C-alpha cells in the first residue's frame, strides 16, 4: 500500500495494519498490530519466524511456516528453499527495529546499462503521490537511465493550464500540448530530487488514457501488468532512447 494512502486512512481515524506473506509461507510472515505499528512497513516477523535479506535485497524467511515443497516438483522446491530459507522473490529491507518494508518484485528489478539496481515500484509510488500523476510505469532495464509511462490527471492539468491557454478538446490533444508536457516533466523532475542521480526518471511518455482491464493492461486486482504494457508500447519507448523522444502515446491512434 502506498505510504501516503495509509497516512490518509490514519488521519481519517481508520488505521490500516498491513501484513505480508505467501502461500508458500502458510501464509503469514509478518504483520503490524496496535501498539507495534509502523506506517509504510508490513510489520515485524510473527513469533517463531525468521526474516533475512539476501545481498541482492531478496526477502528470505525460515521457520515452521515454510512449506515442505511444491507438489511433485523437486526442482522448483530446491530453487525456492535453500538451507531452510524460503526465497520469496520479493525485494525489501529490514529496519533497525525489525520492521520489514517491501520495495519490489525481484523479477521487476531494473538494472541500467551502468549497472545500477533500481526498484521501479518504489519510484512509481513516489510519482503517483504527485497530484498531477494518476498512474506510472517505470522502465529502463539495460538502458542508460530510467524513463516512465505516465497517465496524467487530465482535469488537474486543464485547471493548471487555465482558460488563457486556449481550448484543449480531448485527452489526446492534451498530451500533445507542449505546455502540458512541460508541466508534467517539471513535476517528475521535482519528485525525482528525492533519489540519487542514477535512479531519476529522465524521460516520460504520456498516455492519453488510463491503463485498462479490457486492454489486458491491468490484472483482475487492478495492478498494472508491467511486462505486457512495456511490450505493447515497445516501439515508442525505444524511441525515447533513440533521440526521437516521442512524449505522447495515444493507444487509440
Amino acid at each position: 500500500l502506498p505510504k501516503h494512502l495509509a497516512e490518509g486512512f490514519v488521519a481519517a481515524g481508520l488505521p490500516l495494519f498491513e501484513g505480508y506473506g505467501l502461500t508458500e509461507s502458510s501464509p503469514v510472515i509478518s504483520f503490524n498490530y496496535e501498539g507495534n505499528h509502523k506506517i509504510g512497513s508490513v510489520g515485524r516477523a510473527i513469533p517463531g519466524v525468521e526474516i533475512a535479506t539476501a545481498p541482492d535485497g531478496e526477502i528470505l524467511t525460515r521457520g515452521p511456516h515454510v512449506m515442505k515443497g511444491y507438489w511433485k516438483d523437486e526442482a522448483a522446491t530446491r530453487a525456492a528453499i535453500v538451507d531452510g530459507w524460503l526465497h520469496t522473490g520479493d525485494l525489501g529491507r529490514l529496519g533497525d527495529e525489525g520492521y520489514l518494508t517491501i520495495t519490489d518484485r525481484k523479477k521487476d528489478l531494473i538494472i541500467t546499462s551502468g549497472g545500477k539496481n533500481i526498484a521501479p515500484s518504489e519510484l512509481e509510488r513516489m510519482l503517483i503521490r504527485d497530484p498531477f500523476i494518476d498512474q506510472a510505469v517505470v522502465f529502463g532495464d539495460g538502458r542508460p537511465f530510467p524513463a516512465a509511462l505516465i497517465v496524467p490527471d487530465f482535469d488537474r492539468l486543464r485547471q493548471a493550464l487555465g482558460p488563457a491557454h486556449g481550448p484543449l478538446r480531448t485527452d489526446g490533444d492534451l498530451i500533445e500540448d507542449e505546455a502540458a508536457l512541460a508541466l508534467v516533466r517539471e513535476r517528475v523532475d521535482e519528485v525525482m530530487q528525492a533519489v540519487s542521480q542514477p535512479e531519476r526518471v529522465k524521460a516520460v511518455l504520456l498516455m492519453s488514457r488510463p491503463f485498462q482491464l479490457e486492454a489486458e493492461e491491468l490484472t483482475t486486482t487492478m495492478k498494472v501488468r508491467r511486462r505486457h504494457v512495456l511490450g505493447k508500447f515497445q516501439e515508442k519507448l525505444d524511441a525515447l532512447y533513440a533521440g526521437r523522444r516521442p512524449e505522447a502515446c495515444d493507444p487509440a491512434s
Side-chain angles (χ1 to χ4, degrees):
L1 183 70
K3 186 177 180 181
H4 68 284
L5 289 184
E7 290 170 340
F9 277 97
V10 170
L14 296 169
L16 300 181
F17 299 118
E18 295 181 70
Y20 169 65
L22 316 169
T23 301
E24 292 89 339
S25 65
S26 304
V28 184
I29 294 173
S30 65
F31 63 84
N32 285 288
Y33 54 94
E34 193 168 1
N36 287 275
H37 182 212
K38 183 174 182 180
I39 293 177
S41 81
V42 291
R44 292 167 163 165
I46 64 174
V49 167
E50 295 178 76
I51 300 175
T53 54
D56 63 359
E58 183 175 10
I59 299 167
L60 313 177
T61 186
R62 183 171 63 180
H65 62 310
V66 173
M67 67 174 181
K68 292 183 178 180
Y70 292 109
W71 178 250
K72 295 184 179 180
D73 195 337
E74 293 184 6
T77 299
R78 286 195 299 271
I81 305 174
V82 180
D83 296 330
W85 289 97
L86 174 66
H87 290 239
T88 65
D90 292 315
L91 299 175
R93 56 179 179 268
L94 274 172
D96 294 338
E97 297 178 326
Y99 286 97
L100 177 65
T101 300
I102 310 295
T103 57
D104 219 318
R105 287 289 294 165
K106 186 175 179 178
K107 66 181 182 181
D108 292 333
L109 189 69
I110 290 172
I111 304 177
T112 66
S113 58
K116 177 67 176 179
N117 288 5
I118 298 172
S121 292
E122 197 147 314
L123 295 180
E124 290 160 4
R125 285 191 287 269
M126 294 173 63
L127 287 169
I128 63 174
R129 288 191 69 172
D130 187 276
F132 285 86
I133 299 173
D134 187 35
Q135 293 174 305
V137 176
V138 173
F139 58 98
D141 197 46
R143 306 289 194 170
F145 55 82
L149 261 172
I150 287 179
V151 179
D153 184 316
F154 294 104
D155 290 339
R156 196 176 294 271
L157 266 183
R158 288 187 174 91
Q159 292 171 9
L161 292 172
H165 186 72
L168 295 169
R169 297 182 298 279
T170 68
D171 293 345
D173 294 331
L174 189 60
I175 65 168
E176 297 281 358
D177 187 89
E178 283 299 325
L181 290 169
L183 193 155
V184 173
R185 286 196 298 263
E186 181 181 328
R187 305 296 296 200
V188 170
D189 289 344
E190 185 175 331
V191 171
M192 290 296 104
Q193 295 304 306
V195 299
S196 67
Q197 191 66 237
E199 294 175 286
R200 293 178 185 175
V201 169
K202 295 183 174 66
V204 298
L205 181 65
L206 297 189
M207 294 282 292
S208 64
R209 60 159 176 79
F211 299 117
Q212 299 176 348
L213 181 63
E214 296 78 9
E216 299 183 342
E217 295 158 356
L218 300 174
T219 68
T220 54
T221 56
M222 306 309 288
K223 295 176 183 176
V224 175
R225 297 179 61 198
R226 181 187 302 277
R227 294 179 187 276
H228 178 79
V229 167
L230 297 183
K232 188 172 186 177
F233 304 113
Q234 187 67 54
E235 185 176 340
K236 288 184 177 291
L237 300 177
D238 287 344
L240 286 175
Y241 294 99
R244 300 192 298 275
R245 303 185 68 80
E247 298 197 86
C249 181
D250 187 349
S253 64

